[in-house]
Amino acid sequence: GENVEQHPSTLSVQEGDSAVIKCTYSDSASNYFPWYKQELGKGPQLIIDIRSNVGEKKDQRIAVTLNKTAKHFSLHITETQPEDSAVYFCAASGPSGGSYIPTFGRGTSLIVHP
Amino acid sequence: SQTIHQWPATLVQPVGSPLSLECTVEGTSNPNLYWYRQAAGRGLQLLFYSIGIDQISSEVPQNLSASRPQDRQFILSSKKLLLSDSGFYLCASATRRDTEAFFGQGTRLTVV
């Protein structure tokens, strides 16, 4: 099955700095790579996603890059703000027997210091 | 988009008692449904997934079971809770076409 590794587990930055979270995956058939943000006591919510036919996608201060050859993808947050503090999860999924089970990384706790 | 209703939000149960957590989905039909557990340390552990009514697959052998009596209803159960069942339980839904997963707000279960 798919295996997703996520680094770092904790990331501490000053407000205004950039933050980068990296993930690798193992299944070359995976074709969908979402990123989720989880605030304390809540369920994860999608913040950005990328599909295998695209190398980069941006949405205001956040961007995701995908390198299919190397099987890694990254989340970039620029001009970080205290409200960006949360746990971030990467995931990978694809047509594995038609079930589309997303496999998640272990999460990164992002702390933005004002 | 989909809306996932999950309840209760918080639950404290004694060891050996039964459990029933319910999840219902709005805004889609015939979704894939998932139960995850998030223990301390943040990781999301997949417990069960379902691709249709009465079609349940278990990812991890454990004290829990799942059922899907209706297309948009997913239930997590236990006959006798263990201390190790404590955690944050999340229900999620995804359509085959979109593949984005929508999560409920979670249930914080504490077994005492």
Side-chain angles (χ1 to χ4, degrees):
Chain A
E2 176 66 274
N3 182 48
V4 176
E5 299 284 340
Q6 182 173 347
H7 300 280
S9 58
T10 304
L11 180 59
S12 184
V13 300
Q14 288 297 127
E15 182 177 0
D17 288 351
S18 295
V20 180
I21 303 171
K22 299 182 179 182
C23 289
T24 60
Y25 63 99
S26 61
D27 188 351
S28 57
S30 290
N31 57 7
Y32 178 66
F33 307 92
W35 286 89
Y36 295 86
K37 177 182 180 182
Q38 185 180 26
E39 297 178 343
L40 193 62
K42 297 184 177 180
Q45 284 195 304
L46 181 79
I47 54 171
I48 194 167
D49 56 12
I50 191 167
R51 298 184 188 275
S52 58
N53 58 346
V54 176
E56 183 176 359
K57 184 176 178 181
K58 294 181 78 171
D59 183 3
Q60 299 183 339
R61 295 187 298 108
I62 59 174
V64 58
T65 58
L66 171 65
N67 182 327
K68 283 222 71 176
T69 304
K71 291 192 215 150
H72 65 71
F73 56 114
S74 301
L75 176 72
H76 304 252
I77 306 174
T78 58
E79 301 172 24
T80 53
Q81 302 168 2
E83 51 265 38
D84 294 330
S85 296
V87 178
Y88 291 81
F89 291 97
C90 63
S93 67
S96 175
S99 56
Y100 287 94
I101 302 173
T103 300
F104 289 86
R106 290 187 57 80
T108 296
S109 178
L110 174 64
I111 303 166
V112 180
H113 299 281
Chain B
S1 67
Q2 303 173 37
T3 302
I4 316 302
H5 299 283
Q6 189 179 343
W7 66 92
T10 307
L11 191 59
V12 180
Q13 291 285 98
V15 169
S17 64
L19 173 74
S20 180
L21 302 181
E22 189 161 344
C23 169
T24 59
V25 181
E26 288 182 3
T28 188
S29 59
N30 198 26
N32 286 345
L33 297 177
Y34 312 89
W35 278 110
Y36 288 89
R37 177 167 59 201
Q38 189 173 28
R42 306 187 301 269
L44 293 169
Q45 179 188 31
L46 179 65
L47 301 176
F48 300 95
Y49 71 92
S50 170
I51 62 173
I53 294 175
D54 294 331
Q55 299 180 66
I56 312 292
S57 295
S58 174
E59 288 294 297
V60 183
Q62 59 219 323
N63 185 41
L64 303 169
S65 61
S67 61
R68 185 172 177 174
Q70 300 180 45
D71 179 46
R72 290 173 289 174
Q73 183 186 27
F74 205 24
I75 299 171
L76 183 69
S77 304
S78 173
K79 291 182 180 178
K80 287 186 179 181
L81 284 169
L82 305 172
L83 286 173
S84 57
D85 292 323
S86 295
F88 190 53
Y89 288 83
L90 289 159
C91 176
S93 170
T95 64
R96 291 170 183 78
R97 230 176 334 190
D98 296 338
T99 67
E100 170 191 353
F102 293 85
F103 286 85
Q105 290 300 293
T107 296
R108 172 72 59 192
L109 172 66
T110 304
V111 182
V112 296

